[in-house]
């Protein structure tokens, strides 16, 4: 194993992206909608974040929550959002597409890789809801993606160390396996040793206090603002060096 591995922060706002860079993360996956697992951030969010951070920036391209089975209109939205990311100088994107039987949609993912070039493409956790992960890995490799973000088809990556190790071994030098979901400073050393992975992904997020001086107690549907915990990101990065 190399002496160094890297950490990608899943950032749900520009503040978290800035914290990620300050804390030594190598890359940011920029998302909106943490409660729904992440959807495509706005043009303004991507533009401002690109201008404020110098580390690698990979916005998620996911037009809605739910599954990764998209109709023609949604697939065209994906195309347009990819072009925006290229226009704004992003380094890559995070995306996933499936067929109705749950398998990776190879042809559509190939098309996405072509649209994205020269940006890189991470296949996101659409991989984790495929019926056969070993076959899905080979399918993704065929599309030209550079990495797979995966929890090993479990609810969190630390629960799937054995599967992640198997995926790392199968992938070899053909594609990067990047464990993500449930990664903390308290489990990263063990997971790294057991999986053999060299890239890891997590949000290290915490809910922030509401700074408003007035709040109507009868209206409670505003949700929370989540910010990356800088101390936690620093710990994870340090453990991976």
């Amino acid at each position: 194993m190399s002496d160094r591995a890297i950490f990608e922060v899943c950032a749900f706002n520009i503040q978290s992206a800035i914290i990620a860079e300050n804390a030594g993360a190598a890359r940011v996956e920029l998302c909106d909608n943490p409660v729904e697992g992440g959807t495509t951030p706005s043009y303004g969010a991507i533009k401002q974040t690109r201008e404020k951070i110098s580390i690698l920036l990979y916005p998620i391209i996911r037009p809605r929550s739910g599954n990764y089975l998209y109709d023609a209109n949604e697939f065209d939205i994906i195309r347009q959002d990819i072009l925006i990311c290229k226009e704004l100088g992003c380094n890559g994107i995070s995306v996933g597409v499936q067929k109705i039987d749950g398998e990776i949609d190879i042809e559509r993912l190939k098309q996405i890789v072509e649209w994205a070039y020269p940006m890189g493409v991470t296949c996101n956790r659409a991989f984790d809801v495929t019926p056969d992960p070993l076959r899905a890995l080979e399918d993704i490799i065929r599309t030209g993606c550079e990495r797979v973000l995966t929890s090993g088809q479990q609810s969190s990556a630390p629960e799937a160390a054995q599967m992640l190790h198997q995926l790392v071994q199968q992938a070899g030098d053909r594609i990067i396996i990047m464990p993500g979901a449930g990664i903390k400073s308290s489990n990263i050393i063990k997971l790294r040793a057991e999986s053999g992975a060299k890239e890891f992904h997590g949000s290290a997020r915490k809910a922030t206090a509401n700074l408003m001086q007035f709040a109507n107690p009868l209206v409670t549907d505003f949700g929370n603002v989540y910010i990356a915990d800088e101390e936690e990101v620093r710990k994870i990065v340090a453990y991976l060096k």
Side-chain angles (χ1 to χ4, degrees):
M1 181 185 296
S2 167
D3 290 337
R4 184 180 177 87
I6 67 170
F7 188 52
E8 172 184 278
V9 170
C10 178
F12 290 100
N13 42 56
I14 189 172
Q15 294 90 344
S16 295
I18 293 169
I19 288 169
E21 179 166 35
N22 291 341
R27 186 170 55 241
V28 164
E29 181 196 49
L30 185 65
C31 306
D32 198 3
N33 270 323
V35 175
E36 297 188 325
T39 56
T40 308
S42 72
Y43 177 96
I46 299 171
K47 183 176 187 295
Q48 187 79 350
T49 302
R50 179 68 291 174
E51 292 173 358
K52 294 294 183 179
I53 68 170
S54 59
I55 60 174
L56 301 176
L57 177 61
Y58 278 57
I60 191 172
I61 304 297
R62 189 179 178 213
R64 56 162 170 78
S65 62
N67 58 47
Y68 297 88
L69 177 67
Y70 299 117
D71 65 20
N73 283 321
E74 291 170 326
F75 197 55
D76 196 50
I77 290 170
I78 288 171
R79 180 185 65 83
Q80 294 182 62
D81 284 337
I82 289 170
L83 297 179
I84 285 171
C85 289
K86 290 176 72 171
E87 171 194 326
L88 294 177
C90 296
N91 305 99
I93 58 169
S94 173
V95 68
V97 280
Q98 289 176 280
K99 296 186 291 187
I100 198 166
D101 60 3
E103 293 182 356
I104 294 295
D105 191 326
I106 298 172
E107 294 309 312
R108 276 188 159 186
L109 194 50
K110 280 182 179 178
Q111 180 65 76
I112 285 171
V113 171
E114 290 178 10
W115 286 335
Y117 184 82
M119 295 190 300
V121 178
T122 298
C123 181
N124 63 24
R125 292 186 64 203
F127 172 86
D128 286 326
V129 286
T130 57
D132 182 343
L134 304 185
R135 174 178 175 177
L137 178 57
E138 295 300 324
D139 289 342
I140 293 167
I141 290 171
R142 289 169 56 194
T143 68
C145 289
E146 61 181 359
R147 74 177 51 77
V148 179
L149 168 60
T150 174
S151 62
Q153 297 207 327
Q154 298 294 324
S155 59
S156 71
E159 299 174 67
Q162 184 175 354
M163 171 57 73
L164 291 168
H165 177 74
Q166 186 175 357
L167 292 169
V168 168
Q169 292 299 305
Q170 180 179 329
D173 294 329
R174 297 179 298 162
I175 198 169
I176 298 164
I177 301 298
M178 180 170 64
I183 289 180
K184 302 175 182 178
S185 59
S186 58
N187 58 35
I188 187 64
I189 294 176
K190 184 172 185 287
L191 180 60
R192 182 187 178 193
E194 292 177 345
S195 68
K198 295 182 180 180
E199 296 191 8
F200 295 85
H201 168 101
S203 63
R205 74 190 190 202
K206 61 181 180 180
T208 62
N210 187 347
L211 300 180
M212 294 295 296
Q213 294 179 351
F214 171 80
N216 184 343
L218 301 179
V219 180
T220 59
D221 58 351
F222 288 106
N224 293 310
V225 176
Y226 292 95
I227 299 290
D229 184 330
E230 185 164 352
E231 182 180 355
E232 175 71 354
V233 175
R234 287 187 185 277
K235 285 181 181 178
I236 294 171
V237 170
Y239 288 147
L240 291 175
K241 287 184 178 179

